[in-house]
Amino acid sequence: MSDIAPHLLALLCLAAFCAGFVDSIAGGGGLITVPVMLISGIPPLQTLGTNKVQSMFGAASATLAYSRKGHVNLREQLPMAMMAVMGGALGAALATIVPGDVLRALMPVLLVAIALYFAFKPNLNDLDTHRRITPFAFGMSFVPLIGFYDGVFGPGTGSFFMLSFVTLAGFGMLKATAHTKLLNLGSNIGALIVFASFCATLWTIGLMMGVCQFLGAQVGSRLAMRTGAKLIKPLLVVVCIAFAIKLIADPANPLRVWLGV
């Protein structure tokens, strides 16, 4: 804490607020906070652990806001959230011993694919559509798998949950966003338990950023509930494209290193 200058702390708090706002609507908040924490001099493993502390506040804030308006039933979705906890814990355990180069290389490609899907898929709105998979099968497969990714790397998890809910569970955009925040909270909790056990969390910084995440998520989730798919769809597309460009622009991105560009 004492090694980080006050202006960097202010930057971290601002990044957390912006991440909470964006993440509560379209996901991808970690793609704001993780680079800022790395720039501030926080080591990579501690960055992942501390990011879980602050992002947990944002996910909890948005989940409460959506549940109060009846967009997600916390009691009914608890088993699915527990699967996300398990996936996040397993992913975090792997992150402590295995580099995430493959995931960092795949991220830009996956984000562009998600953006194209939501940009060109017709009739995406707040109405539920045909369900392609049972809730049990969805909870036992895709939920822990995406939670696992969240524990290993994290940024973009909300976009992956959104895509799964819309394409497989048949949820409307607003309902998918609400349920995404609950599962994101679960995977964050699971990952945080593991990172904390490895002493890979900077609690003071994480809690400071967490307060800002909470406030940003309150603003974002209330705005999303007022406008629905009219806001969620375009913001999701913009966020995915912007972060894909941000990732691929990094000369150290493994994809660029492997391709020699």
Side-chain angles (χ1 to χ4, degrees), residues 174-258:
L174 182 57
K175 185 177 179 180
T177 301
H179 285 71
T180 287
K181 293 302 102 188
L182 174 61
L183 298 190
N184 228 160
L185 175 60
S187 60
N188 283 334
I189 291 173
L192 178 59
I193 291 171
V194 174
F195 284 127
S197 68
F198 279 86
C199 298
T201 53
L202 304 178
W203 288 102
T204 304
I205 293 175
L207 292 173
M208 287 177 59
M209 294 178 69
V211 173
C212 297
Q213 266 262 17
F214 186 94
L215 297 174
Q218 283 291 306
V219 176
S221 57
R222 291 177 184 181
L223 182 60
M225 285 185 283
R226 284 202 300 267
T227 58
K230 293 179 181 178
L231 172 66
I232 297 170
K233 178 180 175 179
L235 186 57
L236 182 64
V237 172
V238 171
V239 166
C240 287
I241 293 294
F243 288 144
I245 294 173
K246 179 180 178 62
L247 288 170
I248 204 65
D250 181 5
N253 183 277
L255 185 61
R256 291 186 60 175
V257 173
W258 298 340

Side-chain angles (χ1 to χ4, degrees), residues 44-249:
L45 186 59
Q46 281 70 28
T47 290
L48 292 178
T50 306
N51 188 56
K52 294 307 173 190
V53 177
Q54 59 94 30
S55 60
M56 188 174 66
F57 278 78
S61 174
T63 298
L64 289 173
Y66 287 123
S67 64
R68 285 172 180 167
K69 295 297 184 179
H71 296 293
V72 58
N73 188 313
L74 298 181
R75 183 173 298 179
E76 288 183 0
Q77 299 300 321
L78 184 60
M80 197 174 292
M82 293 306 298
M83 294 303 297
V85 172
M86 182 187 71
L90 291 174
L94 181 64
T96 61
I97 56 176
V98 176
D101 284 354
V102 174
L103 290 173
R104 283 192 289 272
L106 288 175
M107 270 296 295
V109 178
L110 294 175
L111 286 170
V112 169
I114 291 173
L116 292 175
Y117 175 83
F118 281 104
F120 296 106
K121 174 70 174 176
N123 302 321
L124 280 177
N125 50 46
D126 294 322
L127 300 177
D128 290 353
T129 58
H130 176 67
R131 187 174 63 200
R132 294 178 173 83
I133 187 172
T134 65
F136 178 80
F138 184 76
M140 294 297 292
S141 56
F142 287 93
V143 171
L145 181 63
I146 298 173
F148 179 83
Y149 163 79
D150 191 22
V152 174
F153 188 47
T157 299
S159 301
F160 297 140
F161 272 132
M162 279 285 294
L163 179 66
S164 299
F165 274 124
V166 171
T167 58
L168 299 175
F171 285 8
M173 294 290 287
L174 182 57
K175 185 177 179 180
T177 301
H179 285 71
T180 287
K181 293 302 102 188
L182 174 61
L183 298 190
N184 228 160
L185 175 60
S187 60
N188 283 334
I189 291 173
L192 178 59
I193 291 171
V194 174
F195 284 127
S197 68
F198 279 86
C199 298
T201 53
L202 304 178
W203 288 102
T204 304
I205 293 175
L207 292 173
M208 287 177 59
M209 294 178 69
V211 173
C212 297
Q213 266 262 17
F214 186 94
L215 297 174
Q218 283 291 306
V219 176
S221 57
R222 291 177 184 181
L223 182 60
M225 285 185 283
R226 284 202 300 267
T227 58
K230 293 179 181 178
L231 172 66
I232 297 170
K233 178 180 175 179
L235 186 57
L236 182 64
V237 172
V238 171
V239 166
C240 287
I241 293 294
F243 288 144
I245 294 173
K246 179 180 178 62
L247 288 170
I248 204 65

